mmCIF file of all heavy atoms in Angstrom:
data_model
loop_
_atom_site.group_PDB
_atom_site.id
_atom_site.type_symbol
_atom_site.label_atom_id
_atom_site.label_comp_id
_atom_site.label_asym_id
_atom_site.label_seq_id
_atom_site.Cartn_x
_atom_site.Cartn_y
_atom_site.Cartn_z
ATOM 1 N N HIS B 1028 -64.675 14.288 9.714
ATOM 2 C CA HIS B 1028 -65.757 13.833 10.565
ATOM 3 C C HIS B 1028 -65.930 14.804 11.811
ATOM 4 O O HIS B 1028 -66.958 15.381 11.979
ATOM 5 C CB HIS B 1028 -65.463 12.472 10.995
ATOM 6 C CG HIS B 1028 -66.570 11.769 11.799
ATOM 7 N ND1 HIS B 1028 -67.730 11.475 11.269
ATOM 8 C CD2 HIS B 1028 -66.590 11.470 13.140
ATOM 9 C CE1 HIS B 1028 -68.542 10.985 12.260
ATOM 10 N NE2 HIS B 1028 -67.781 10.887 13.348
ATOM 11 N N VAL B 1029 -64.849 14.992 12.519
ATOM 12 C CA VAL B 1029 -64.930 15.731 13.755
ATOM 13 C C VAL B 1029 -65.102 17.192 13.516
ATOM 14 O O VAL B 1029 -65.996 17.847 14.180
ATOM 15 C CB VAL B 1029 -63.609 15.495 14.569
ATOM 16 C CG1 VAL B 1029 -63.580 16.434 15.782
ATOM 17 C CG2 VAL B 1029 -63.473 14.056 14.997
ATOM 18 N N GLU B 1030 -64.361 17.792 12.583
ATOM 19 C CA GLU B 1030 -64.349 19.242 12.397
ATOM 20 C C GLU B 1030 -65.388 19.679 11.348
ATOM 21 O O GLU B 1030 -65.795 20.906 11.318
ATOM 22 C CB GLU B 1030 -62.961 19.712 12.052
ATOM 23 C CG GLU B 1030 -62.009 19.354 13.108
ATOM 24 C CD GLU B 1030 -60.590 20.041 12.883
ATOM 25 O OE1 GLU B 1030 -60.519 21.068 12.215
ATOM 26 O OE2 GLU B 1030 -59.629 19.532 13.456
ATOM 27 N N ASP B 1031 -65.744 18.748 10.320
ATOM 28 C CA ASP B 1031 -66.569 19.264 9.272
ATOM 29 C C ASP B 1031 -67.930 18.500 9.258
ATOM 30 O O ASP B 1031 -68.845 18.848 8.478
ATOM 31 C CB ASP B 1031 -65.928 18.969 7.895
ATOM 32 C CG ASP B 1031 -64.602 19.652 7.727
ATOM 33 O OD1 ASP B 1031 -64.481 20.717 8.353
ATOM 34 O OD2 ASP B 1031 -63.776 19.250 6.952
ATOM 35 N N GLY B 1032 -68.116 17.498 10.160
ATOM 36 C CA GLY B 1032 -69.408 16.820 10.154
ATOM 37 C C GLY B 1032 -69.653 15.871 8.986
ATOM 38 O O GLY B 1032 -70.767 15.626 8.620
ATOM 39 N N MET B 1033 -68.522 15.269 8.395
ATOM 40 C CA MET B 1033 -68.782 14.212 7.445
ATOM 41 C C MET B 1033 -69.211 12.965 8.025
ATOM 42 O O MET B 1033 -68.435 12.359 8.866
ATOM 43 C CB MET B 1033 -67.468 14.025 6.585
ATOM 44 C CG MET B 1033 -67.636 13.038 5.443
ATOM 45 S SD MET B 1033 -66.109 12.779 4.577
ATOM 46 C CE MET B 1033 -65.970 14.305 3.569
ATOM 47 N N PRO B 1034 -70.439 12.396 7.790
ATOM 48 C CA PRO B 1034 -70.939 11.302 8.512
ATOM 49 C C PRO B 1034 -70.308 10.024 8.251
ATOM 50 O O PRO B 1034 -69.858 9.222 9.154
ATOM 51 C CB PRO B 1034 -72.431 11.223 8.094
ATOM 52 C CG PRO B 1034 -72.705 12.516 7.374
ATOM 53 C CD PRO B 1034 -71.421 12.976 6.851
ATOM 54 N N ALA B 1035 -70.116 9.665 6.960
ATOM 55 C CA ALA B 1035 -69.658 8.251 6.704
ATOM 56 C C ALA B 1035 -68.353 8.325 5.822
ATOM 57 O O ALA B 1035 -67.949 9.354 5.306
ATOM 58 C CB ALA B 1035 -70.691 7.516 5.826
ATOM 59 N N MET B 1036 -67.638 7.133 5.785
ATOM 60 C CA MET B 1036 -66.498 7.018 4.989
ATOM 61 C C MET B 1036 -66.905 6.729 3.570
ATOM 62 O O MET B 1036 -66.907 5.634 3.102
ATOM 63 C CB MET B 1036 -65.636 5.900 5.532
ATOM 64 C CG MET B 1036 -65.024 6.156 6.934
ATOM 65 S SD MET B 1036 -64.124 4.774 7.531
ATOM 66 C CE MET B 1036 -63.686 5.338 9.173
ATOM 67 N N ARG B 1037 -67.311 7.884 2.857
ATOM 68 C CA ARG B 1037 -67.664 7.651 1.496
ATOM 69 C C ARG B 1037 -67.183 8.869 0.658
ATOM 70 O O ARG B 1037 -67.808 9.501 -0.116
ATOM 71 C CB ARG B 1037 -69.272 7.618 1.411
ATOM 72 C CG ARG B 1037 -69.726 7.103 0.104
ATOM 73 C CD ARG B 1037 -71.261 6.931 0.132
ATOM 74 N NE ARG B 1037 -71.784 6.453 -1.217
ATOM 75 C CZ ARG B 1037 -72.983 6.009 -1.420
ATOM 76 N NH1 ARG B 1037 -73.897 6.087 -0.480
ATOM 77 N NH2 ARG B 1037 -73.317 5.587 -2.635
ATOM 78 N N ALA B 1038 -65.880 9.064 0.855
ATOM 79 C CA ALA B 1038 -65.186 10.108 0.176
ATOM 80 C C ALA B 1038 -63.784 9.566 -0.094
ATOM 81 O O ALA B 1038 -63.250 8.657 0.496
ATOM 82 C CB ALA B 1038 -65.039 11.349 1.103
ATOM 83 N N LEU B 1039 -63.121 10.243 -1.103
ATOM 84 C CA LEU B 1039 -61.745 9.794 -1.459
ATOM 85 C C LEU B 1039 -60.998 11.058 -1.959
ATOM 86 O O LEU B 1039 -61.539 12.034 -2.352
ATOM 87 C CB LEU B 1039 -61.735 8.731 -2.437
ATOM 88 C CG LEU B 1039 -62.307 8.922 -3.885
ATOM 89 C CD1 LEU B 1039 -61.394 9.661 -4.754
ATOM 90 C CD2 LEU B 1039 -62.602 7.536 -4.462
ATOM 91 N N SER B 1040 -59.649 10.872 -1.890
ATOM 92 C CA SER B 1040 -58.830 11.976 -2.506
ATOM 93 C C SER B 1040 -58.172 11.497 -3.769
ATOM 94 O O SER B 1040 -57.771 10.299 -3.893
ATOM 95 C CB SER B 1040 -57.742 12.318 -1.461
ATOM 96 O OG SER B 1040 -58.313 12.903 -0.321
ATOM 97 N N CYS B 1041 -57.893 12.459 -4.590
ATOM 98 C CA CYS B 1041 -57.049 12.185 -5.777
ATOM 99 C C CYS B 1041 -55.874 13.184 -5.677
ATOM 100 O O CYS B 1041 -56.088 14.408 -5.631
ATOM 101 C CB CYS B 1041 -57.849 12.388 -7.037
ATOM 102 S SG CYS B 1041 -56.806 12.315 -8.557
ATOM 103 N N SER B 1042 -54.646 12.648 -5.624
ATOM 104 C CA SER B 1042 -53.491 13.478 -5.636
ATOM 105 C C SER B 1042 -52.842 13.389 -7.039
ATOM 106 O O SER B 1042 -52.492 12.214 -7.500
ATOM 107 C CB SER B 1042 -52.507 12.988 -4.557
ATOM 108 O OG SER B 1042 -51.327 13.632 -4.718
ATOM 109 N N ILE B 1043 -52.692 14.435 -7.709
ATOM 110 C CA ILE B 1043 -52.130 14.467 -9.067
ATOM 111 C C ILE B 1043 -50.700 14.989 -8.965
ATOM 112 O O ILE B 1043 -50.474 16.192 -8.498
ATOM 113 C CB ILE B 1043 -52.928 15.440 -9.932
ATOM 114 C CG1 ILE B 1043 -54.440 15.062 -9.927
ATOM 115 C CG2 ILE B 1043 -52.421 15.334 -11.346
ATOM 116 C CD1 ILE B 1043 -55.334 16.053 -10.625
ATOM 117 N N ALA B 1044 -49.722 14.265 -9.371
ATOM 118 C CA ALA B 1044 -48.303 14.607 -9.290
ATOM 119 C C ALA B 1044 -47.984 15.582 -10.349
ATOM 120 O O ALA B 1044 -48.076 15.269 -11.582
ATOM 121 C CB ALA B 1044 -47.380 13.419 -9.325
ATOM 122 N N LEU B 1045 -47.644 16.829 -9.999
ATOM 123 C CA LEU B 1045 -47.214 17.818 -10.994
ATOM 124 C C LEU B 1045 -45.695 17.788 -11.243
ATOM 125 O O LEU B 1045 -45.196 18.542 -12.089
ATOM 126 C CB LEU B 1045 -47.672 19.181 -10.674
ATOM 127 C CG LEU B 1045 -49.207 19.453 -10.560
ATOM 128 C CD1 LEU B 1045 -49.502 20.891 -10.456
ATOM 129 C CD2 LEU B 1045 -49.950 18.817 -11.710
ATOM 130 N N GLU B 1046 -44.974 17.002 -10.516
ATOM 131 C CA GLU B 1046 -43.546 16.896 -10.684
ATOM 132 C C GLU B 1046 -43.257 15.324 -10.549
ATOM 133 O O GLU B 1046 -44.069 14.654 -9.957
ATOM 134 C CB GLU B 1046 -42.778 17.550 -9.518
ATOM 135 C CG GLU B 1046 -43.434 18.838 -9.046
ATOM 136 C CD GLU B 1046 -42.723 20.026 -9.713
ATOM 137 O OE1 GLU B 1046 -41.707 19.891 -10.456
ATOM 138 O OE2 GLU B 1046 -43.141 21.182 -9.498
#
Side-chain angles (χ1 to χ4, degrees):
Chain B
H1028 183 69
V1029 173
E1030 300 189 22
D1031 299 334
M1033 182 182 285
M1036 295 178 183
R1037 196 172 180 173
L1039 63 79
S1040 296
C1041 174
S1042 171
I1043 307 170
L1045 295 192
E1046 320 265 356

